[in-house]
Amino acid sequence: FCQSLLHTVLPPELRFASLKLFQRLFNWFSSYCFYEITEIDGVNTNELYNSAQLYLSSSASISGNRLSLSRSTNSSAVTFSLSNNDRLLDVFRGVSVVWEHVVTHRQSHTFSWRPLPDEKRGFTLRIRKKDKNLILQSYLDHIMEKATEIRRNNQDRFLYTNSRGGSIDARGHPWESVPFKHPSTFETLAMDPIKKQALMADLRDFADGQSFYQKTGRAWKRGYLLYGPPGTGKSSMIAAMANFLGYDIYDMELTEVHHNSELRKLLMKTSSKSIIVIEDIDCSINLTNRKKNVRNQNQQQHNNNDNFLGPETRHSTSDDSNGSSITLSGLLNFTDGLWSCCGSEKIFVFTTNHIEKLDPALLRSGRMDMHIFMSYCSFPALMILLKNYLGFEEEDLEEIVVKELKQVIDEAKMTPADISEVLIKNRRNKEKAVGQLVEALKVRAESNRAVAVKCGDVDVDVEEEQEKRALESPKQLQQTCEEDDNEKPN
Ligand SMILES: Nc1ncnc2c1ncn2[C@@H]1O[C@H](COP(=O)(O)OP(=O)(O)OP(=O)(O)O)[C@@H](O)[C@H]1O
Ligand SMILES: [Mg+2]
C-alpha cells in the first residue's frame, strides 16, 4: 500500500529514497529482527542454507501447516520441506522464532560470470529483538549441529560422478549424484581375514584420528591402491569401505577431465567424509606428453608401454605448465599437494589390474599409504563365499570335500567373481553347488597345469609379477600398521 501511495504521489527520484527511509522507520519501530539466509552467497553455496533446510525438514521440528513433500528417484526417504513463501514456527529454549522460505524469480539481466538458477531461494529467520542476543548464536550452532547429525544418521549416501566433464550446473556443482546403495560390506567381502582386519583397523584409526592428524601436522587424508586381476573384488571393497565408514563416494572419470585446473575444481567441490576413487588408473588417462618424455628419457626401462605414466612428467613440461592437459604432476598434486586437504577426512582409492604399468612416482612410499593386493580366491576367502551364498560353515562340509577344496583352490586361480557365478547358478541345491564348485576348481587347476607345461615360462610373466607383489603385500600391510602403531599417540 505504501509503495503504491509513494508511486502516485512522488516523482521517481524521490521514490527510492523515501522507500528506504520508510523501511528504516519500520525497522526502528518493529520489535523483530530479520535474518536472510540465501542459498548462494556470492559464488559459493551457503552451508547455513543447506543446514537450515535439513534442520527444518527433520520431522521432529515440523510444525507448519503447509509443507512440500518430495522423494527423489531411487531414494528411500520422503523429504519434508517448507513450501515456497510459506512459514513455520520453531521454538528453541522457550523462544519462538519464525522461518519463511522466500523464493523469487531472478531478473534475467542480472550479470554473472556463471549461469545462475532461475530462482533465488533463501530463508528469512524472524526473531524478537529482545531474544536476539539470548539465542541467535546458540540457535545457529544448534542448527548446524543438528544438520550434521541428520546427515550422519541418514543412511542414504551418495555416489558422485563427473560425467559432465569440468562443466558445472546452475548451482555451481561439477558432480552429478545418485543415492548409493551398494550392499557390499566387509562381512560379505571374500579376502584373507588377517588382511581384512588390518584394513578395517586402519580405516577405523583414520576416521577417529582427527586429533592425531592435527597434532602431527598431517593433512587428514589417506590413500589406498587396490590392485589385482579383474573380478577379485576391488570395486566391491570400495563399496564396503564406504558402507563401513558411512562416507560418500566420488567416482572420478579421468577421461572426462581435460585440464589440471578442472581436476582441482572437482576436488574443491568434494565434501569431507568422502572416498575419491579413480578406477583403472593405468588406462584411464592417455598422456601424450608422457609418451614423449618416456621415449626421450626412459626408453630402456619402459618401452612398449603406451599408457605408462613417466616419472619425469613430475617436472613441468610446456603442456603441464599452461595446464592444457592432465599430467601426472597434476594428478599427484590432486592427491597429495596443497589442494588435497581442502575439506578434510578424505580417502583416495586408486585401482588397477596392472600395477607394473604404474609410474614409480605414484607408488613411492607416502603417496599411497597402503597397497592392497586383491588376489585369486584363497581357502579362507572361499569359506566366506560359501557362507554368504549357501549359508555353509566349514564344519557343514564333509571332511573329504574340505580336503579337496584345500588341494585345488590355490592352483585353480579362480577369482571370487568366477566362484560366485558357480554358486549362484546352483544355489537352490546346496550340495550340488558344492559338488559343481569342486568340479570347476579341478577343471581350472588342470587346465592351468596344462598351460604351464605347454608354454613353459612364457606367459606367466605377468602372474609372476603379481605373485611377487602378493608376497610383498602382506608385508606392506603389516609395515604400514606397525608404522601407524608407532606413530599413534598412547
Ligand atoms: N572378494 C570378493 N568378495 C565377494 N564378492 C566378490 C569378490 N570379488 C568379486 N566378487 C563378486 O564379483 C563381482 C565383480 O567384482 P568387482 O567388480 O568388485 O571386481 P573388480 O576387482 O573391481 O574387477 P575389475 O578389475 O574388473 O574392475 C562382484 O559383483 C562381486 O559380487
Ligand atoms: Mg572394478
Side-chain angles (χ1 to χ4, degrees):
F1 169 73
C2 289
Q3 222 166 339
S4 57
L5 188 72
L6 290 173
H7 198 88
T8 45
V9 177
L10 292 175
E13 320 66 87
L14 281 178
R15 224 178 279 155
F16 183 70
S18 327
L19 208 58
K20 273 270 173 233
L21 186 70
F22 180 77
Q23 268 174 358
R24 281 216 186 134
L25 281 174
F26 176 78
N27 286 346
W28 186 263
F29 288 112
S30 164
S31 50
Y32 292 102
C33 284
F34 296 86
Y35 297 94
E36 310 251 347
I37 301 167
T38 50
E39 183 187 18
I40 295 172
D41 164 32
V43 291
N44 291 317
T45 37
N46 185 354
E47 185 60 24
L48 188 56
Y49 174 87
N50 291 338
S51 299
Q53 195 176 38
L54 213 54
Y55 171 74
L56 294 173
S57 69
S58 70
S59 47
S61 62
I62 288 290
S63 61
N65 293 331
R66 183 185 286 259
L67 300 165
S68 60
L69 300 180
S70 59
R71 183 178 156 163
S72 54
T73 330
N74 294 326
S75 173
S76 58
V78 173
T79 340
F80 304 82
S81 57
L82 206 51
S83 300
N84 294 351
N85 303 319
D86 237 317
R87 296 168 173 213
L88 74 76
L89 186 81
D90 190 27
V91 179
F92 177 69
R93 294 186 185 163
V95 174
S96 302
V97 299
V98 174
W99 285 92
E100 188 176 1
H101 194 212
V102 186
V103 180
T104 48
H105 274 279
R106 193 179 293 279
Q107 283 159 350
S108 55
H109 58 261
T110 313
F111 171 78
S112 166
W113 63 277
R114 66 173 168 83
L116 288 167
D118 293 339
E119 287 174 344
K120 216 166 135 182
R121 297 189 220 160
F123 287 108
T124 305
L125 170 64
R126 195 184 80 181
I127 305 181
R128 277 183 190 282
K129 276 182 181 164
K130 68 178 174 63
D131 297 330
K132 185 185 84 175
N133 292 338
L134 211 63
I135 62 152
L136 183 65
Q137 193 54 51
S138 48
Y139 185 48
L140 294 181
D141 289 346
H142 170 73
I143 289 169
M144 296 298 279
E145 231 167 75
K146 210 67 191 163
T148 313
E149 194 184 308
I150 295 167
R151 274 192 204 110
R152 197 170 301 135
N153 292 341
N154 184 355
Q155 286 304 301
D156 288 344
R157 283 182 308 288
F158 288 94
L159 173 64
Y160 294 88
T161 168
N162 60 318
S163 54
R164 270 199 304 262
S167 62
I168 51 176
D169 69 4
R171 302 207 174 274
H173 298 303
W175 296 96
E176 280 179 295
S177 66
V178 288
F180 174 70
K181 297 211 182 277
H182 203 295
S184 172
T185 61
F186 276 112
E187 206 161 282
T188 63
L189 193 69
M191 68 183 282
D192 180 30
I194 298 169
K195 266 206 235 177
K196 196 195 286 189
Q197 288 307 324
L199 176 62
M200 286 168 80
D202 192 74
L203 288 170
R204 216 173 288 123
D205 284 345
F206 171 78
D208 299 336
Q210 183 168 23
S211 58
F212 169 71
Y213 283 88
Q214 188 80 40
K215 206 173 75 183
T216 49
R218 294 167 68 115
W220 194 5
K221 65 181 182 65
R222 198 141 176 87
Y224 298 93
L225 175 73
L226 311 183
Y227 65 102
T232 49
K234 295 178 292 299
S235 306
S236 310
M237 176 182 283
I238 296 170
M241 282 172 154
N243 287 330
F244 180 63
L245 295 172
Y247 286 8
D248 289 331
I249 295 185
Y250 288 86
D251 190 3
M252 169 82 79
E253 187 55 66
L254 274 192
T255 46
E256 291 286 332
V257 186
H258 308 295
H259 305 273
N260 286 341
S261 56
E262 273 175 22
L263 204 59
R264 217 170 305 165
K265 217 180 290 169
L266 283 166
L267 186 67
M268 264 167 73
K269 292 285 180 180
T270 54
S271 60
S272 36
K273 290 185 186 290
S274 57
I275 302 180
I276 298 161
V277 179
I278 302 181
E279 289 248 42
D280 299 319
I281 178 101
D282 55 303
C283 43
S284 52
I285 2 175
N286 180 18
L287 295 149
T288 40
N289 56 340
R290 215 161 275 169
K291 269 197 262 176
K292 192 171 61 194
N293 282 316
V294 169
R295 221 173 291 133
N296 289 346
Q297 302 172 30
N298 209 19
Q299 201 161 16
Q300 284 168 331
Q301 200 184 351
H302 302 286
N303 50 5
N304 303 331
N305 198 340
D306 277 357
N307 292 321
F308 183 76
L309 318 180
E312 33 306 299
T313 47
R314 275 192 62 62
H315 307 304
S316 110
T317 66
S318 56
D319 279 1
D320 187 3
S321 52
N322 63 21
S324 63
S325 65
I326 277 212
T327 58
L328 180 61
S329 68
L331 188 63
L332 295 178
N333 272 331
F334 172 78
T335 54
D336 67 355
L338 284 174
W339 289 93
S340 62
C341 57
C342 56
S344 57
E345 236 187 309
K346 287 189 183 162
I347 290 180
F348 291 91
V349 181
F350 292 174
T351 75
T352 178
N353 294 141
H354 303 282
I355 193 170
E356 70 282 355
K357 284 188 188 173
L358 294 188
D359 190 319
L362 205 59
L363 301 176
R364 213 168 46 219
S365 70
R367 196 135 274 155
M368 288 282 120
D369 299 290
M370 231 182 198
H371 296 183
I372 301 165
F373 178 58
M374 301 298 287
S375 58
Y376 292 113
C377 200
S378 61
F379 184 74
L382 176 65
M383 284 300 115
I384 297 173
L385 289 176
L386 285 177
K387 186 165 172 245
N388 290 347
Y389 288 86
L390 308 176
F392 277 168
E393 301 282 354
E394 192 175 335
E395 1 1 311
D396 299 326
L397 298 170
E398 286 172 42
E399 216 169 288
I400 178 133
V401 174
V402 173
K403 206 170 148 201
E404 271 183 323
L405 287 174
K406 276 185 181 165
Q407 255 169 13
V408 286
I409 185 79
D410 291 328
E411 208 175 355
K413 289 191 176 152
M414 271 175 91
T415 62
D418 293 337
I419 291 178
S420 312
E421 210 46 44
V422 177
L423 297 180
I424 289 175
K425 227 187 284 168
N426 302 292
R427 71 181 183 282
R428 262 174 261 115
N429 185 340
K430 295 179 183 185
E431 269 69 31
K432 188 178 163 208
V434 176
Q436 294 274 323
L437 179 64
V438 175
E439 266 323 295
L441 286 167
K442 278 183 181 167
V443 169
R444 190 68 78 87
E446 188 55 45
S447 77
N448 282 349
R449 222 173 292 142
V451 169
V453 169
K454 200 166 146 201
C455 308
D457 287 331
V458 178
D459 70 345
V460 236
D461 281 354
V462 176
E463 282 175 15
E464 255 179 22
E465 178 70 27
Q466 302 258 353
E467 273 169 22
K468 202 175 98 214
R469 291 186 187 270
L471 289 173
E472 283 169 6
S473 175
K475 211 164 48 189
Q476 281 172 348
L477 245 173
Q478 211 171 339
Q479 263 172 8
T480 325
C481 298
E482 278 167 9
E483 271 165 30
D484 281 2
D485 282 342
N486 294 338
E487 282 170 345
K488 239 176 281 159
N490 293 325

